[in-house]
């Protein structure tokens, strides 16, 4: 959870919500828990986030920016190190899947919870846009422009994420991802 409570009240709330929503989901995380963990007052909370829905959308935007920056930088580094695309992609995912805080894709998780919220369509749109931005990042760094190949590649990636989230052995997940990527991206 958040250990550094420095920053603005709005940042404290957002960072706390990020950790709680990612770890537990937004349906299981109440406003009172966020207020308590962020160490802010209800008045301060509602001044910055008039409703939980506002905070959920802010969380998804924040998570997107955080993750897509990490993904771009890590994939670019791995491409430079590996010089073999399937290995660079699986190596990037391997780093993420092995993080102690890994709890799957925040956007796949949010999509699964979206219908419980008044803003279901907004959540799903943000999630679709996140996946499109991940595709654009891969295209930018790899030059893959074939839409069918990219669609299949994203299915492989999302499948690996879900398998790791379900508790399957990460080494095995990455090995299977590598096999799929090598077949898909073979010249």
């Amino acid at each position: 959870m958040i250990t550094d409570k420095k920053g603005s009240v709005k940042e404290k709330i957002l960072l706390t919500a990020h950790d709680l929503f990612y770890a537990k989901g937004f349906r299981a995380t109440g406003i009172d828990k966020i207020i308590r963990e962020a160490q802010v007052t209800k008045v301060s909370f509602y001044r910055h986030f008039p409703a939980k829905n506002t905070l959920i959308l802010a969380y998804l935007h924040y998570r997107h920016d955080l993750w897509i920056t990490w993904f771009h930088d890590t994939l670019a580094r791995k491409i430079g190190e590996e010089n073999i695309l399937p290995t660079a992609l699986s190596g990037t995912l391997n780093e993420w899947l092995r993080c102690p805080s890994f709890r799957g894709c925040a956007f796949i998780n949010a999509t699964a919870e979206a219908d419980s919220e008044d803003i279901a369509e907004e959540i799903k749109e943000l999630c679709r846009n996140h996946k499109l931005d991940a595709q654009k990042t891969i295209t930018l760094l790899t030059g893959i422009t074939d839409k069918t190949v990219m669609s299949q590649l994203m299915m492989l990636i999302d499948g690996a994420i879900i398998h790791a989230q379900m508790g399957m052995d990460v080494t095995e997940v990455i090995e299977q991802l590598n096999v799929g990527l090598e077949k898909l991206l073979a010249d």
Side-chain angles (χ1 to χ4, degrees):
M1 295 296 169
I2 303 296
T3 55
D4 182 10
K5 296 291 182 184
K6 295 178 182 170
S8 72
V9 170
K10 187 173 185 175
E11 288 172 328
K12 287 181 197 178
I13 295 167
L14 183 57
L15 293 174
T16 301
H18 171 272
D19 287 355
L20 291 170
F21 287 161
Y22 184 63
K24 306 286 184 195
F26 42 77
R27 189 173 31 207
T29 303
I31 296 300
D32 290 338
K33 175 126 177 112
I34 295 168
I35 289 169
R36 199 169 40 257
E37 293 278 330
Q39 300 176 349
V40 298
T41 66
K42 278 191 179 194
V43 171
S44 294
F45 176 89
Y46 285 109
R47 183 179 306 126
H48 295 288
F49 298 100
K52 186 176 180 181
N53 289 343
T54 309
L55 182 56
I56 289 170
L57 295 176
Y59 154 71
L60 289 171
H61 284 288
Y62 175 77
R63 179 68 184 190
H64 170 75
D65 292 343
L66 188 71
W67 191 89
I68 208 74
T69 299
W70 170 86
F71 183 65
H72 175 277
D73 294 349
T74 305
L75 182 57
R77 177 176 46 83
K78 291 286 185 185
I79 288 171
E81 291 171 1
E82 304 292 340
N83 207 19
I84 301 169
L85 184 55
T87 307
L89 272 167
S90 61
T92 298
L93 286 175
N94 187 46
E95 279 190 28
W96 180 40
L97 302 181
R98 291 186 186 281
C99 285
S101 62
F102 174 78
R103 195 182 127 11
C105 172
F107 298 89
I108 293 172
N109 297 344
T111 299
E113 288 192 278
D115 288 336
S116 70
E117 302 298 323
D118 296 337
I119 53 171
E121 288 310 310
E122 292 168 272
I123 290 170
K124 289 177 184 178
E125 182 179 355
L126 282 171
C127 295
R128 286 189 299 269
N129 288 338
H130 171 76
K131 293 298 180 178
L132 288 173
D133 282 351
Q135 277 185 238
K136 289 176 188 173
T137 299
I138 294 168
T139 296
L140 175 71
L141 295 173
T142 67
I144 298 171
T145 57
D146 183 300
K147 291 184 188 300
T148 301
V149 169
M150 188 55 71
S151 178
Q152 293 168 347
L153 185 123
M154 293 304 294
M155 292 286 279
L156 285 170
I157 290 170
D158 284 341
I161 293 166
I162 292 168
H163 279 99
Q165 184 176 2
M166 290 188 308
M168 295 179 75
D169 180 65
V170 173
T171 300
E172 187 176 318
V173 169
I174 293 300
E175 286 172 5
Q176 293 302 313
L177 176 62
N178 248 338
V179 169
L181 290 171
E182 286 171 5
K183 287 179 181 177
L184 180 63
L185 300 174
D187 293 324

